Amino acid sequence: MKVPCLVVDHDDTVVNSTATVHFPSFCEFMAIHYPHMRYTLEDYFLKNFSPGTLELFRDEIGMDEDMLHEEHRFWDAYVQNHVPQVYEGMREILWAHKNAGGLLCVVSHSLSKNILRDYRANCLPEPDLTFGWEIPVKQRKPSPYPLQTIMETFGLGREDLLVLDDLKPGYDMARAIGVRFAAAGWANDIPQIERFMRSNCDLYFKTVAEFGAFLSET
């Protein structure tokens, strides 16, 4: 196969979740606890891109451990009642990959229980392995731990994997051990993010259709 093992991010790569779930939850939480601080959706995308949500919450907003736990509890409760929709065309791409014998793994900063819920709700194939927010901090992306575990579990080499992600932590994870990285550019039109991804990534896809065409090429 062209890509024996596809390693996908979840939010804004497979499902449209930041704009429809995570950012609205963040805004509601901020209105309650930090009403003097305001962020736009573009701000939120950029902070997710770099340095990441944990760094935003802890280092910029100033949440202590108790408040970080409260934010996580608030977000998790919100997510239980809001299911993001799969991007048009992605369902067919993932099923074609699985039906051709490919492995599908998910490495995300969402909880695995929510990822699997979203996969079932959107009629997506069940991932072979899932690494979510619940794993220890030192093992979450950008740590290469998920990729190392995937390779060890299935007896694969670096050349057998392709990481598809919309944000820099996924890029950093892949680069750390020399795995190919493809940027998913369909979640937003923020120039700073697109410039970085186009300049640094092995592959860049602006649309889901472009990614599907790449996978189907022989």
Side-chain angles (χ1 to χ4, degrees), residues 89-101:
M90 186 58 75
R91 180 184 297 111
E92 293 77 10
I93 290 170
L94 297 185
W95 272 112
H97 175 74
K98 287 286 289 182
N99 289 336

Side-chain angles (χ1 to χ4, degrees), residues 4 13 33 35 46 92 101 112 131 143 152 168 171 178 189 210 216:
T13 298
H33 296 283
L46 283 167
E92 293 77 10
S112 290
F131 300 84
S143 166
E152 291 170 3
K168 192 171 181 292
Y171 164 84
D189 292 306
E210 289 178 10
S216 64

Side-chain angles (χ1 to χ4, degrees), residues 81-158:
N81 296 298
H82 298 81
V83 179
Q85 298 300 300
V86 65
Y87 285 105
E88 184 177 354
M90 186 58 75
R91 180 184 297 111
E92 293 77 10
I93 290 170
L94 297 185
W95 272 112
H97 175 74
K98 287 286 289 182
N99 289 336
L103 292 165
L104 175 64
C105 299
V106 180
V107 181
S108 170
H109 282 170
S110 278
L111 292 166
S112 290
K113 66 174 184 177
N114 296 331
I115 295 166
L116 296 175
R117 185 274 314 262
D118 294 348
Y119 267 63
R120 290 191 294 268
N122 285 283
C123 300
L124 299 170
E126 183 176 353
D128 295 286
L129 281 179
T130 302
F131 300 84
W133 188 259
E134 70 282 350
I135 66 175
V137 174
K138 291 184 178 180
Q139 295 178 355
R140 295 176 195 155
K141 65 179 175 183
S143 166
Y145 169 82
L147 301 183
Q148 292 167 331
T149 302
I150 291 167
M151 289 188 289
E152 291 170 3
T153 300
F154 298 109
L156 302 172
R158 292 174 176 82

